[in-house]
Amino acid sequence: MIIERVALDSIRLHPHITTLSSLEIGESIFCSEFKQAQSLRALSYYMIRSRNMDRKFTFRKMDRGWRIIRVQ
């Protein structure tokens, strides 16, 4: 058996989770990088499925970047 100390700050909630959960209807997040936008998009699907949230998001390319918009 191996016992290790774990830094609790390293396993705290990801800042994107708190950002997505705090969005109101009509608010959006703009990402200039496609990789970051895809990560947020996948996280929004995961949150809806795993936490049974009644929110819906849409993902659109606009303004030389991508937007994740909360629609419900």
Side-chain angles (χ1 to χ4, degrees), residues 16 20 29 31 36-45 68:
H16 291 311
L20 282 175
I29 300 170
C31 301
Q36 182 184 20
Q38 283 290 69
S39 175
L40 279 169
R41 179 176 168 254
L43 180 62
S44 70
Y45 289 142
I68 292 93

Side-chain angles (χ1 to χ4, degrees), residues 25-48:
I25 296 173
E27 293 182 335
S28 66
I29 300 170
F30 178 78
C31 301
S32 57
E33 296 181 17
F34 182 69
K35 185 176 180 179
Q36 182 184 20
Q38 283 290 69
S39 175
L40 279 169
R41 179 176 168 254
L43 180 62
S44 70
Y45 289 142
Y46 169 76
M47 286 178 55
I48 291 167

Side-chain angles (χ1 to χ4, degrees), residues 48-63:
I48 291 167
R49 298 271 185 207
S50 68
R51 299 183 183 193
N52 294 326
M53 300 177 83
D54 60 343
R55 299 173 183 213
K56 291 188 180 178
F57 296 92
T58 187
F59 181 72
R60 297 285 183 256
K61 179 162 180 25
M62 55 177 45
D63 304 330

